[in-house]
Amino acid sequence: MPAPDAPLSRNETIKRESHLLRGGIEEGLSRKVTGAIEEDDTQLLKFHGSYQQDDRDLRPERGKRKLEKAFFFMVRVRIPGGVLTPAQWLALDAIARDYGNGTLRLTSRQSVQLHGVLKSNLRTVIAAVAAAGLDTRATCGDVNRTVMCTTAPLPSRLHAEVLAIATAMSEHLLPRSSAYQELWLGAESGTDRDAEPIYGPAYLPRKFKIGVVVPPVNDADVLSQDLGFIAVIRKGSLLGFTVAAGGGMGATHGEPATYPRLAEPFGFCTPDQAVAVAEAVLRTQRDYGDRADRKHARLKYTIADHGLEWFRSEVESRLGKPLAPPRRFAFAHTGDRFGWSEDLSALTVLVPSGRLKAGDGSPIVAIARRHGGTFRITPNQNLVIAGIAPDQRSAITALIADSDLDPTPTPLRGQAMACVALPTCGLALAESERYLPQLTADIDGLLARSGLAGAEILLRVSGCPNGCSRPYLAEIGLVGRAPGRYDLHLGGGFDGSRLAPVFRQNLDHAGILETLAPIFGDYAAERKEGERFGDFVLRKAYPAAPNG
Ligand code: SRM
Ligand code: SF4
């Protein structure tokens, strides 16, 4: 619980003095002597969808030559539920090719990130995103982020219904300041929309995330969200949502007061109440979240400090009515189901760590030029090509077969996820995206040698304890500690319903394989019919030796 007289964090002052997210961004963009902007303004820039970064691979060499870091900006696009039209895909691809580092990065929140944008091109890029009917608003910063939504090929009516609710939440909870239009889209200053009726001038104490899932699919890892909506379906119709709150992954090594946490179900709402419930939860967090210590400022800590009963009554008082009790739910998996959907209208492909080369060689560009349906980015950084016309099936199959996109990955590879980490992430302690290919190949080899070829195990890697790939929910989770060193977490649920405790700390690649080998041996010999790896590890109660 924060001390009542604790001083506000620096970010609180930056936000309050920013004139609703303007700060000195305008001046910073026009300063030509540096590729960077002022430190305080980097905090505000996040609300507009961009992070200042630098190429960490180049730091030693540039340092030796006394050069400024190789600054550039990452731009994150807001794509509620991850759905893009082919025209939007082509537009983002062209931006990545012309102004980014030549790649598109599909993210673990169903968005697209463009890396490597120079300061001088930032305005052009954000305007081009807007011209494609998209925006970058609130993809970062102390606001509600991109709302996630199940992508699995559901019956299209049901998908459209839940996606519409996720999109409505994303729109309703956007900041209303006209700073975005002024800074990036050339609008006149001081329009009458310039106020923040939901957030107020200090916005939220910290980021806020919402996810919507349709059981038994839990692809959006709904219990990792600040606020999760779990659809209740009866006879194919949407009755409403069980609502859960207080999830989150982020932690800091050596600081036990920070921890990953699962969201707890606290109510049920009908579809037409969902947006109002989301606003009531957000307002509760706005009013009670910790504004002194940013490491304790997520909703998960507010609920842990005050209790779920208190939280529910605060939400109900803002909503103006009581919530019905939560309904029961059960999940089957968090991962994607690859290949063609039963009705052959959708094809799900693995995109290695969500990274796609932009330009004419891209298979998705070729598909976008002929596809009349949509693309759905999954919460596992993969892609569903949805709404495929029968006469396009064979052409799309051929284009995918000719690429490194894989509709039939090994079950381990298909479930695996890594965060971006080096070289662009300023917080990375270890490799992640660039480590995943070797890791999955070696673990697949180990599985084969243990008589477990083709075993489906949920593996996730993050380059630091912030947990952007949600590793604490995996059956095998690796969390970066130092270059080449990871903490190994074991025993999460395949369905995203259980956290994996730390099993060993500070292992190198060989140590990871040596630790897993005997456990795989036991699993091959002793698992019960259908028993998942995470459940097996839990049943065996292997003694954890975190510092070993
Ligand atoms: Fe994340 C910060 C990348 C999903 C928890 N995350 C970052 C930054 C922006 C680093 C920074 O602050 O300077 C990373 C940029 C790397 C780069 O070079 O692109 C970054 N996060 C990502 C992405 C791209 C990972 C990926 O490989 O897909 C995901 C972008 C999602 C999106 O489209 O919006 C991404 N981040 C997540 C998730 C997963 C989720 O939301 O479902 C989490 C865990 C859930 C949670 O929030 O608790 C997550 N990211 C964090 C945190 C820890 C927050 C905390 O409560 O402690 C940070 C650090 C921070 O906020 O201070 C962070
Ligand atoms: Fe960067 Fe850490 Fe997130 Fe990976 S988990 S992208 S290293 S902040």
Side-chain angles (χ1 to χ4, degrees), residues 46 51-53 74 76-77 105-113 115 139 145-146 148 206-207 209 220 224-226 247-251 298 300-301 353 381 418-421 424-427 433 466-470:
K46 294 180 187 179
Y51 286 81
Q52 179 172 301
Q53 303 184 317
M74 176 264 275
R76 198 181 270 165
V77 183
R105 178 55 156 76
L106 312 186
T107 75
S108 59
R109 289 194 75 76
Q110 304 177 279
S111 296
V112 170
Q113 283 187 184
H115 287 105
T139 51
R145 304 289 188 88
T146 300
M148 293 172 72
R206 203 68 164 81
K207 57 174 72 167
K209 298 180 172 180
S224 73
Q225 311 280 340
D226 291 273
M249 296 282 97
R298 295 290 293 270
K300 63 182 174 181
Y301 300 117
S353 287
Q381 306 162 339
C419 70
V420 175
T424 52
C425 177
L427 306 178
E433 181 180 325
N466 285 321
C468 298
S469 62
R470 302 185 287 271

Side-chain angles (χ1 to χ4, degrees), residues 374-389:
T374 56
F375 295 106
R376 296 181 194 168
I377 301 164
T378 80
N380 297 295
Q381 306 162 339
N382 296 312
L383 197 63
V384 182
I385 307 162
I388 299 175

Side-chain angles (χ1 to χ4, degrees), residues 409-421:
T410 67
L412 180 90
R413 235 180 120 229
Q415 302 300 312
M417 183 155 63
C419 70
V420 175

Side-chain angles (χ1 to χ4, degrees), residues 237-360:
S237 293
L238 179 66
L239 292 191
F241 299 95
T242 286
V243 195
M249 296 282 97
T252 305
H253 286 310
E255 294 191 22
T258 67
Y259 47 82
R261 186 177 190 275
L262 289 181
E264 298 171 88
F266 71 96
F268 170 86
C269 72
T270 53
D272 61 315
Q273 290 175 322
V275 173
V277 169
E279 183 183 326
V281 170
L282 187 142
R283 283 178 185 270
T284 304
Q285 167 64 357
R286 177 200 63 190
D287 297 344
Y288 289 101
D290 186 346
R291 290 183 185 264
D293 177 2
R294 287 182 67 78
K295 288 195 174 170
H296 185 259
R298 295 290 293 270
L299 177 63
K300 63 182 174 181
Y301 300 117
T302 313
I303 295 179
D305 288 349
H306 294 272
L308 196 64
E309 283 310 312
W310 167 89
F311 172 73
R312 188 195 355 251
S313 79
E314 289 294 331
V315 172
E316 287 173 343
S317 78
R318 283 163 183 76
L319 189 64
K321 58 174 86 147
L323 285 165
R327 309 265 177 105
R328 291 165 69 87
F329 55 88
F331 297 128
H333 58 89
T334 64
D336 299 325
R337 307 289 93 177
F338 292 95
W340 287 94
S341 59
E342 253 171 49
D343 64 359
L344 301 181
S345 70
L347 177 65
T348 304
V349 293
L350 176 99
V351 180
S353 287
R355 185 78 67 179
L356 279 152
K357 244 179 145 21
D360 279 345

Side-chain angles (χ1 to χ4, degrees), residues 47-361:
F47 291 75
H48 300 271
S50 181
Y51 286 81
Q52 179 172 301
Q53 303 184 317
D54 72 288
D55 189 328
R56 293 183 58 184
D57 287 348
L58 299 182
R59 271 189 201 175
E61 177 59 23
R62 291 181 73 91
K64 255 192 256 156
R65 293 166 55 206
K66 305 263 182 297
L67 290 172
E68 175 174 272
K69 287 177 185 165
F71 287 115
F72 46 59
F73 293 80
M74 176 264 275
V75 174
R76 198 181 270 165
V77 183
R78 188 173 64 95
I79 310 174
V83 179
L84 288 173
T85 64
Q88 287 171 334
W89 185 282
L90 291 173
L92 294 180
D93 191 275
I95 299 169
R97 185 196 59 205
D98 296 344
Y99 301 107
N101 69 355
T103 70
L104 293 170
R105 178 55 156 76
L106 312 186
T107 75
S108 59
R109 289 194 75 76
Q110 304 177 279
S111 296
V112 170
Q113 283 187 184
L114 305 160
H115 287 105
V117 176
L118 296 177
K119 184 171 89 170
S120 53
N121 289 329
L122 200 48
R123 209 171 245 144
T124 310
V125 164
I126 295 180
V129 169
L134 296 162
D135 63 61
T136 64
R137 288 189 290 166
T139 51
C140 328
D142 298 345
V143 280
N144 177 54
R145 304 289 188 88
T146 300
V147 178
M148 293 172 72
C149 180
T150 293
T151 46
L154 298 166
S156 53
R157 189 186 47 78
L158 202 52
H159 181 259
E161 209 174 342
V162 286
L163 179 65
I165 292 168
T167 306
M169 283 191 233
S170 183
E171 299 295 323
H172 181 71
L173 300 177
L174 280 174
R176 308 283 163 88
S177 161
S178 54
Y180 188 85
Q181 287 77 5
E182 280 172 33
L183 279 169
W184 312 107
L185 307 177
E188 295 284 308
S189 63
T191 73
D192 57 1
R193 287 186 295 127
D194 209 0
E196 294 292 6
I198 298 178
Y199 288 105
Y203 296 87
L204 295 180
R206 203 68 164 81
K207 57 174 72 167
F208 185 87
K209 298 180 172 180
I210 300 179
V212 183
V213 293
V214 181
V217 180
N218 183 23
D219 54 356
D221 257 327
V222 75
L223 302 181
S224 73
Q225 311 280 340
D226 291 273
L227 178 60
F229 289 83
I230 302 154
V232 178
I233 310 285
R234 289 285 175 277
K235 297 190 179 137
S237 293
L238 179 66
L239 292 191
F241 299 95
T242 286
V243 195
M249 296 282 97
T252 305
H253 286 310
E255 294 191 22
T258 67
Y259 47 82
R261 186 177 190 275
L262 289 181
E264 298 171 88
F266 71 96
F268 170 86
C269 72
T270 53
D272 61 315
Q273 290 175 322
V275 173
V277 169
E279 183 183 326
V281 170
L282 187 142
R283 283 178 185 270
T284 304
Q285 167 64 357
R286 177 200 63 190
D287 297 344
Y288 289 101
D290 186 346
R291 290 183 185 264
D293 177 2
R294 287 182 67 78
K295 288 195 174 170
H296 185 259
R298 295 290 293 270
L299 177 63
K300 63 182 174 181
Y301 300 117
T302 313
I303 295 179
D305 288 349
H306 294 272
L308 196 64
E309 283 310 312
W310 167 89
F311 172 73
R312 188 195 355 251
S313 79
E314 289 294 331
V315 172
E316 287 173 343
S317 78
R318 283 163 183 76
L319 189 64
K321 58 174 86 147
L323 285 165
R327 309 265 177 105
R328 291 165 69 87
F329 55 88
F331 297 128
H333 58 89
T334 64
D336 299 325
R337 307 289 93 177
F338 292 95
W340 287 94
S341 59
E342 253 171 49
D343 64 359
L344 301 181
S345 70
L347 177 65
T348 304
V349 293
L350 176 99
V351 180
S353 287
R355 185 78 67 179
L356 279 152
K357 244 179 145 21
D360 279 345

